[in-house]
Amino acid sequence: MPRDNSLLDRVTPYDRFASGDAQIEEWLASGVRRRELSDYFGPAEYRSLSALARRAGTVRVSESVPRVLIVPGIMGSQLGLARAAPLPNDIVWLDPLDIQHGRLAALRVPASAPIVPLGVVLFSYLRLKLHLRAAGFAVEFHDYDWRLSIVESGRALAERLRALRPARVALVAHSMGGLVSRAALAHEDMGHIGRVVLLGTPNCGSFAAVQALRGTYSVVRKVALLAQETSAESLAAEVFNTFPSLYDLLPWGSCRVAGGDLFDPRSWPAAGPRPRLAPPDERFAIIAGVGAETVTAVRRRSDQFLYTFTRGGDGTVPLLSAVLPGVRSAYARAAHSDLTRSPVVAAAVVDLLRAGHTRRLPSRWANAARASAEVSDGELRRTLAEKIDWAALSPKERRLFLENLNEPPHLRLRAPQRAVAPHRAVARSRKGR
């Protein structure tokens, strides 16, 4: 077969840009490939990252602090096919051009193609890494195949942690990465792991997983806008519903759906295995996002789910799921995806890694707001429905689309005493999505 007919040889601009984080950091510090990096990150973010990279390059790694592994959340690692040099690796997630051509089907589990992790999504995590490196920490990313079960991903992380012995190691984990870290710590020979900082981890699940499986989650709907021949519902049914990780993230325990357990076959969806997680101990600390419109309850009505939105979370993870009894917590007014990009949160992470506590964020949170909204599957399906022609977008529009991919819809919430009837809010798309 001719090489130009092979999927492995289809090289997009996103494949060419998929260099390792060390290479990107070097370019940021030196000013090389300034125009490409500025288009990718945006001018303001490029200037900020360049300054951080230069500062990080002047700071020696401190021998008194542990080595740090940053564990990203679900969808936070690039996935694709490895290719031999000189061709760059073939990025499938997240490559808008491949999505437009229907290639997300390659991510089905079990996969027909040898999908592997190909580094983290740098826009989400590079800023946090550079902040920690500038504070004197030796920092690495741990990318992984986030489609797989938390147990399987935890096993792979445990193997990497064992290989680092006897060095002292700390974990900074975002979102589902915190569950992967807890799964790893449930294995033997983890005594060299010191601090464990969880950023917005859904310790008893997230209703976002319910919406992803239903095709009503904003990320799934936005991705479907790029796939010209695929609806969000079919994308959920044919691709996302095959990911074991989403079943692991279904709410359970105190976060479960009202009137039923989402892991009970008699309550949608079908039951799935719950991962064995290490119980939190004195090594753990939590930073939870608060103040954003978040699904904090779900109930079933006929053939639909009704989602209750309040400001009791970070937009993805309810506060009830992020905190753990007996574990010191700090609270940040930051959306879920911004927990890894906020300079204040990064400074608090440094404090927690060094001393186990921080004064940069409040240690208590009392949300007096009672405003809420109830939104159905049908109402969410009427949002983000107009297809996008990626080729027709300007570089700025493309960057804003990817930058806002993880942002949930913004809703009009009302306090109960002001409502004369059950309020229905309709999600509004933010400009630039």
Side-chain angles (χ1 to χ4, degrees):
M1 179 181 294
R3 289 179 61 85
D4 59 356
N5 289 333
S6 170
L7 281 177
L8 289 177
D9 289 336
R10 180 187 291 139
V11 176
T12 73
Y14 297 90
D15 297 335
R16 295 189 184 98
F17 193 72
S19 304
D21 50 282
Q23 179 67 79
I24 299 297
E25 291 170 34
E26 181 181 323
W27 290 341
L28 286 168
S30 65
V32 172
R33 303 185 72 167
R34 179 189 303 268
R35 181 174 179 179
E36 292 174 76
L37 292 171
S38 184
D39 286 345
Y40 179 76
F41 290 111
E45 182 71 0
Y46 171 78
R47 289 191 296 270
S48 178
L49 290 174
S50 294
L52 270 174
R54 290 192 296 270
R55 194 171 86 204
T58 65
V59 177
R60 296 183 58 182
V61 172
S62 173
E63 297 181 359
S64 63
V65 296
R67 187 172 179 176
V68 177
L69 251 59
I70 296 175
V71 186
I74 190 169
M75 305 183 191
S77 298
Q78 299 181 124
L79 302 179
L81 301 165
R83 291 190 284 209
L87 289 174
N89 290 323
D90 181 12
I91 303 297
V92 176
W93 180 269
L94 180 64
D95 186 331
L97 295 174
D98 281 345
I99 293 172
Q100 195 164 33
H101 287 91
R103 292 197 65 207
L104 274 187
L107 299 185
R108 292 191 189 111
V109 178
S112 58
I115 298 294
V116 294
L118 295 170
V120 306
V121 177
L122 291 179
F123 184 86
S124 297
Y125 296 101
L126 184 56
R127 178 185 282 264
L128 176 59
K129 180 187 178 185
L130 290 175
H131 269 292
L132 297 183
R133 179 63 190 84
F137 290 90
V139 191
E140 298 176 28
F141 289 125
H142 177 75
D143 59 333
Y144 61 96
D145 189 340
W146 44 263
R147 303 170 303 157
L148 307 182
S149 74
I150 289 170
V151 168
E152 189 169 346
S153 295
R155 186 181 302 117
L157 175 57
E159 291 176 1
R160 180 173 181 182
L161 292 173
R162 286 194 191 99
L164 295 176
R165 290 179 302 179
R168 293 182 302 133
V169 180
L171 297 174
V172 177
H174 178 236
S175 194
M176 191 181 81
L179 298 179
V180 172
S181 299
R182 291 182 63 190
L185 293 177
H187 289 258
E188 297 180 352
D189 302 324
M190 294 290 113
H192 61 302
I193 308 302
R195 309 282 186 195
V196 182
V197 181
L198 306 182
L199 305 176
T201 291
N203 287 294
C204 64
S206 170
F207 297 107
V210 180
Q211 294 179 309
L213 293 170
R214 293 286 281 173
T216 58
Y217 186 44
S218 59
V219 174
V220 177
R221 300 195 68 77
K222 290 175 191 176
V223 169
L225 298 181
L226 299 174
Q228 297 301 308
E229 305 297 327
T230 305
S231 69
E233 290 72 29
S234 61
L235 186 63
E238 297 168 12
V239 179
F240 285 85
N241 270 264
T242 71
F243 298 166
S245 58
L246 282 175
Y247 293 89
D248 286 344
L249 288 175
L250 290 172
W252 60 277
S254 59
C255 297
R256 67 186 181 182
V257 63
D261 186 344
L262 286 168
F263 284 92
D264 186 333
R266 294 168 295 183
S267 298
W268 185 94
R274 181 154 58 89
R276 182 171 63 96
L277 303 177
D281 53 32
E282 68 281 353
R283 296 175 295 180
F284 282 70
I286 289 169
I287 296 179
V290 292
E293 296 92 340
T294 309
V295 180
T296 52
V298 171
R299 66 184 179 93
R300 182 176 177 177
R301 187 182 70 183
S302 186
D303 61 347
Q304 295 196 69
F305 275 145
L306 297 178
Y307 306 94
T308 298
F309 286 79
T310 71
R311 293 193 177 91
D314 62 15
T316 299
V317 177
L319 184 58
L320 183 64
S321 182
V323 298
L324 289 167
V327 177
R328 57 190 175 279
S329 298
Y331 302 90
R333 277 193 169 274
H336 188 70
S337 57
D338 287 337
L339 287 169
T340 59
R341 295 171 37 75
S342 164
V344 176
V345 171
V349 170
V350 171
D351 293 342
L352 291 169
L353 291 173
R354 286 176 171 166
H357 59 83
T358 183
R359 294 183 178 179
R360 299 178 192 273
L361 296 170
S363 59
R364 294 185 180 182
W365 178 259
N367 184 15
R370 300 176 59 199
S372 66
E374 195 169 62
V375 186
S376 69
D377 280 329
E379 288 170 311
L380 290 174
R381 288 188 177 124
R382 289 194 289 272
T383 69
L384 299 169
E386 186 176 347
K387 292 292 185 180
I388 290 176
D389 182 356
W390 190 257
L393 297 182
S394 68
K396 181 179 180 180
E397 289 172 328
R398 294 177 181 181
R399 175 176 54 79
L400 288 174
F401 180 90
L402 295 175
E403 181 180 326
N404 293 322
L405 182 64
N406 292 318
E407 288 299 308
H410 286 253
L411 309 173
R412 294 188 182 98
L413 307 188
R414 290 185 180 176
Q417 64 270 23
R418 295 184 181 178
V420 296
H423 178 66
R424 294 290 173 78
V426 178
R428 298 174 298 164
S429 300
R430 288 184 63 186
K431 182 180 179 181
R433 287 182 178 175

